[in-house]
Amino acid sequence: MRGPLQCVLWDVKDTLLKVRMSVGQQYCKEAHRAGLDLKPSQVDVAFRQAYQRCSRHYPNYGITQGMDGQAWWMKVVRDTFSRCQVQDPTLLNTMALNLYNDFCNPENWEVFPDCQKALESCSSLGLTLGIVSNFDRRLEGILKACDLLPHFSFLVTSEEAGVAKPDPGIFEQALQKCGIEAANTAHIGDHYLLDYLSSRSLGIHGYLLDRQNKYTNSDLPSEHRIGSLDELPLRLQQIMDNPRCT
């Protein structure tokens, strides 16, 4: 039998915050500082190709192949610019390092307007809040710069965990970290497979954040879908009032 809800796990990117500018725009700003004239649309295409290739050959930041988040992202950046006919190795490394560091700055991130109130409301319910994210070691600094870090008792990133969603192992590490059973835990994220199905596979109360209303006509139970974080505290309160709710 399910016990009372005690913990809420949160995805980060596209749940709590999003990149303020497109990758193409951000990379072109750095290229312009280096004296290059590139088009954001061109860079966006190159980035998608480079990102997909690195994700396929070096999954989860290449941890099992001896890489880390910084090395992985710098490779993505170098590959992106190389596809745009930038070939100078020194320049590629300089731009890659600059961009890796730039994405720690809060100016590059936008916190969703429903985020702070939802976090405060969940905390006021007496729930422990934690992060489970396919992110690298920069996440803590980004959350701190965006004034979100104080809401959370712990963070589990895929770089730290050595596994990434949808592998349920990353959720298992989070449960171990907070010392709370899956049945007493909820999770909220924007991705159907990585967040919703993965968390539900362990018996966690998984909710899908569907800001764009993509799943209104799907097989997803309506009680498992929310269109805004504003809806989450009430859903969690319902579980706390009736532990049999799923």
Side-chain angles (χ1 to χ4, degrees):
M1 179 176 178
R2 288 182 178 271
L5 193 66
Q6 300 176 45
C7 179
V8 187
L9 304 175
W10 300 73
D11 176 50
V12 175
K13 188 175 179 294
D14 297 324
T15 296
L16 299 176
L17 47 75
K18 63 180 179 179
V19 177
R20 193 176 296 274
M21 295 188 295
S22 73
V23 171
Q25 291 172 318
Q26 185 68 27
Y27 281 33
C28 281
K29 279 181 60 179
E30 177 60 30
H32 181 73
R33 286 195 288 264
L36 302 174
D37 184 19
L38 301 176
K39 297 184 183 300
S41 58
Q42 173 193 15
V43 177
D44 275 327
V45 171
F47 170 78
R48 285 194 295 271
Q49 294 171 343
Y51 182 88
Q52 290 169 1
R53 183 180 185 279
C54 284
S55 296
R56 185 169 58 253
H57 291 287
Y58 310 100
N60 192 29
Y61 307 116
I63 300 299
T64 60
Q65 292 133 301
M67 300 175 72
D68 61 12
Q70 180 171 339
W72 191 90
W73 276 113
M74 288 183 65
K75 178 172 178 54
V76 170
V77 175
R78 288 194 302 267
D79 287 359
T80 298
F81 284 123
S82 293
R83 292 170 186 269
C84 297
Q85 310 308 313
V86 181
Q87 303 299 332
D88 184 334
T90 301
L91 180 58
L92 288 170
N93 280 327
T94 298
M95 291 193 297
L97 182 58
N98 288 344
L99 281 166
Y100 179 83
N101 291 326
D102 282 348
F103 272 92
C104 294
N105 297 329
E107 300 83 34
N108 293 320
W109 298 93
E110 180 179 346
V111 177
F112 285 104
D114 56 1
C115 172
Q116 290 281 7
K117 183 179 178 181
L119 291 169
E120 291 168 2
S121 297
C122 290
S123 292
S124 70
L125 292 174
L127 298 168
T128 298
L129 308 186
I131 292 288
V132 178
S133 177
N134 286 356
F135 218 104
D136 58 66
R137 68 181 64 177
R138 294 173 295 177
L139 182 57
E140 182 172 348
I142 292 169
L143 292 174
K144 182 177 181 180
C146 293
D147 296 322
L148 295 178
L149 188 61
H151 292 288
F152 300 101
S153 299
F154 63 92
L155 280 70
V156 178
T157 66
S158 60
E159 180 176 7
E160 170 198 8
V163 290
K165 297 182 284 188
D167 189 322
I170 191 171
F171 286 103
E172 291 170 345
Q173 290 193 34
L175 295 174
Q176 291 173 4
K177 203 163 216 180
C178 66
I180 297 173
E181 298 292 330
N184 307 127
T185 303
H187 174 68
I188 178 68
D190 70 294
H191 197 284
Y192 181 72
L193 171 61
L194 304 187
D195 294 303
Y196 175 72
L197 290 183
S198 182
S199 62
R200 287 262 162 188
S201 72
L202 288 177
I204 293 171
H205 298 271
Y207 290 93
L208 181 68
L209 177 61
D210 184 21
R211 296 185 187 276
Q212 305 302 320
N213 295 317
K214 296 178 181 178
Y215 293 92
T216 52
N217 297 316
S218 72
D219 293 333
L220 179 75
S222 59
E223 63 269 23
H224 295 172
R225 175 195 166 275
I226 61 173
S228 164
L229 290 179
D230 292 332
E231 302 172 35
L232 184 63
L234 178 58
R235 299 291 179 91
L236 300 181
Q237 182 66 67
Q238 291 171 344
I239 297 175
M240 297 174 77
D241 293 340
N242 180 11
R244 291 180 179 272
C245 290
T246 60

